[in-house]
Structures are given as structure tokens and as C-alpha cells.
Amino acid sequence: MTRTFHKLILATNNRHKISEMSAVMEGLEIELLSKADFSDFPDIPETGTTLEENALLKARAVFEKYGIAAIADDTGLMVAALSGAPGIYSARYAGEQCSFLDNNLKLLAELQGVAQPDRSASFVTVIALVDGEGEHCFTGEVHGVITTELMGENGFGYDPVFLPNESNKTFAQMSAAEKNAISHRGRALKQLRDWLARH
């Protein structure tokens, strides 16, 4: 069955994510709403054990509350030398109320003394879409290494310490367009956009 999407709720209030998603979705003639558009947006604990479970939890809760197709994402940074940490705890690696800088500094401290060849990592984003017809997940992944210091002023999260294999710049040293072209979230969003364009 062909569906028409006039509105989508992004289950986030992260202005960086909203900006990235809006840029990739441009031209689809879909109104993007977010947490900021609602006074009673649900507080959704991320109790899943995988990125996919957490993304689905958030998208389901928003769709069930408002009856509008909802998308939510969960992203994890998996560092090989740390046995895959911080993983699903990436956003709160340094504690519940931590800042992006807190997380980056903790990560650099954990990798103190680890040589560059052993600092390999991957960024993974899972985007879940839930509407009255079903559930869909889109996954993007990018591989790289963790730098030994903060580099760049752009982006958010672990962007200043993640150097993708496809570039000699960290995500934080890239323009938004450069980052979206190769990033984990950009790749997942492209899959979502292609799916929406077909429906």
C-alpha cells in the first residue's frame, strides 16, 4: 500500500540532530515536528539493550501518543580498545547530566597511552520509523579512529575526536554538508529519505 507522509515527528529536542535531519529531508514536502512543538511530549527512558531497541522505544511512544508518524534515532560509538564501549551508553558515558565535552574528555582519558593503530572505532546510527502501518529501521555506520586530542569546532557529540577513514578531518572539522555525506547518521537518513520518497 502506498502511504503519504505529510508530517513526521522527530522524537528529539537535540537541535543538531533536527538540523541534520532537516537538511537531508529537504525537498520531500514533509513537515518535520519535534519535541519543541508539543507541551506534553513524553519522557521516554532508553531501557533497550541495543540501539535498535532504544530507537523503536522512542518512536513507538511518540506515535502512540500523537497518532502521527514518528522517527527516532539512537547512536553509539563503539571503540575496539574499550571492548565496544561506550556503545549504547554513548550519550551519558560520563554521567547522566554530562556534557559533550565531559564525554570526550573521559574517552580520551580511557584511551591514554593507546597507540593510534589500536584506536579504531565505529559510529552506528539506527533510525526507527513507526506509523499506523508498521515499523521500519534504517542503519548507518562509519569506521575510523579516535584522535588523541579534540580537533574542530563544528558538530556535536564525539565529532571532535572521531576521524573517519574516508577523510583527514574529524567530523568537527567538516562542514555540515561534508559530514552528512559520509556520517553514520547521514547514511541512515539517506536510507530513510529514499524509503519516504518511494512511499
Side-chain angles (χ1 to χ4, degrees), residues 44-194:
I44 310 156
E46 296 185 7
T47 56
T49 58
T50 65
L51 298 175
E52 184 172 306
E53 285 179 9
N54 280 333
L56 282 167
L57 276 172
K58 292 182 281 189
R60 283 175 190 147
V62 172
F63 172 71
E64 287 169 5
K65 185 169 182 67
Y66 300 110
I68 299 172
I71 58 176
D73 81 298
D74 200 23
T75 295
L77 176 66
M78 288 69 169
V79 181
L82 301 178
S83 302
I88 63 169
Y89 304 107
S90 294
R92 50 192 187 278
Y93 189 41
E96 286 299 326
Q97 303 300 321
C98 64
S99 67
F100 295 146
L101 180 59
D102 294 335
N103 283 334
N104 282 311
L105 293 178
K106 178 176 180 178
L107 180 62
L108 292 178
E110 294 285 344
L111 291 173
Q112 187 76 35
V114 178
Q116 193 75 5
D118 300 318
R119 299 171 75 92
S120 62
S122 60
F123 250 138
V124 181
T125 288
V126 176
I127 297 176
L129 182 148
V130 175
D131 70 350
E133 301 292 333
E135 302 177 344
H136 304 271
C137 286
F138 310 88
T139 302
E141 186 168 357
V142 62
H143 301 278
V145 296
I146 302 301
T147 58
T148 55
E149 60 183 351
L150 299 167
M151 300 169 64
E153 303 295 330
N154 301 324
F156 62 101
Y158 294 93
D159 287 355
V161 297
F162 186 81
L163 184 70
N165 290 341
E166 296 95 326
S167 177
N168 60 0
K169 293 193 274 188
T170 67
F171 279 157
Q173 292 174 309
M174 296 180 184
S175 68
E178 287 175 318
K179 179 187 172 186
N180 285 341
I182 64 169
S183 78
H184 46 298
R185 185 172 289 104
R187 288 171 174 172
L189 281 170
K190 185 179 184 304
Q191 293 173 37
L192 171 63
R193 181 196 166 87
D194 290 347

Side-chain angles (χ1 to χ4, degrees), residues 4-16:
T4 302
F5 292 89
H6 298 294
K7 291 183 179 181
L8 277 175
I9 302 178
L10 310 181
T12 184
N13 205 32
N14 183 318
R15 61 184 178 85
H16 301 286

